[in-house]
Amino acid sequence: MDLGLEVALARGDADDPSDWAWVAAILVLYLLIGYALEYRSKRRKGVRSPAKGAVQGLFSERQGIDPGQRFVSRMVMLGGALAAGLTAFLTRNAPSGLQWTAVGVVALLGIFAWAYFDHRTEPREED
């Protein structure tokens, strides 16, 4: 007898709107952080319109950056998002305050790891 479906139903509905809200919130958070990092980079380079350049920079290949380095950067970002999502999943039965705190801390750690990696590997012009 297969108890997989019964066990899954006992743990909660897979289409619970709050689960999808968590996924959407995590993706939006990482998109906003990515935009902020692009904006900072464009502003530091003296681009005339850094906001517009940052939006375009989110979805385009960067010139002068090794594709392997960009891939690793995106994997660091994805790893942070997955860690935050896993934290939300593992704390789904915990009180809301604890869940929000745990997910927030893990998300911030992922964001700082991603920003640190991008900062350390960003090409800089020699003076």
Side-chain angles (χ1 to χ4, degrees):
M1 185 168 147
D2 183 26
L3 294 177
L5 181 60
E6 291 83 8
V7 170
L9 290 174
R11 290 185 180 167
D13 188 11
D15 291 328
D16 185 18
S18 68
D19 293 340
W20 291 110
W22 275 105
V23 170
I26 290 168
L27 292 176
V28 167
L29 176 68
Y30 274 84
L31 186 63
L32 288 174
I33 297 299
Y35 173 78
L37 291 173
E38 284 289 330
Y39 181 82
R40 181 191 63 157
S41 175
K42 300 290 183 195
R43 187 173 171 114
R44 217 181 323 157
K45 290 179 182 175
V47 174
R48 184 174 171 178
S49 176
K52 186 176 181 181
V55 170
Q56 292 171 348
L58 277 177
F59 303 106
S60 66
E61 283 294 320
R62 294 183 188 172
Q63 299 298 325
I65 293 183
D66 179 35
Q69 180 180 330
R70 181 165 171 84
F71 176 74
V72 171
S73 172
R74 295 303 175 209
M75 290 300 106
V76 170
M77 176 184 67
L78 181 62
L82 289 174
L86 181 63
T87 302
F89 177 75
L90 293 175
T91 60
R92 68 188 179 277
N93 294 329
S96 293
L98 178 64
Q99 185 181 28
W100 280 93
T101 303
V103 172
V105 166
V106 171
L108 285 175
L109 288 174
I111 290 165
F112 286 133
W114 179 33
Y116 180 75
F117 178 82
D118 276 357
H119 173 72
R120 296 293 295 165
T121 59
E122 182 180 2
R124 291 174 175 71
E125 296 178 13
E126 298 294 325
D127 289 335

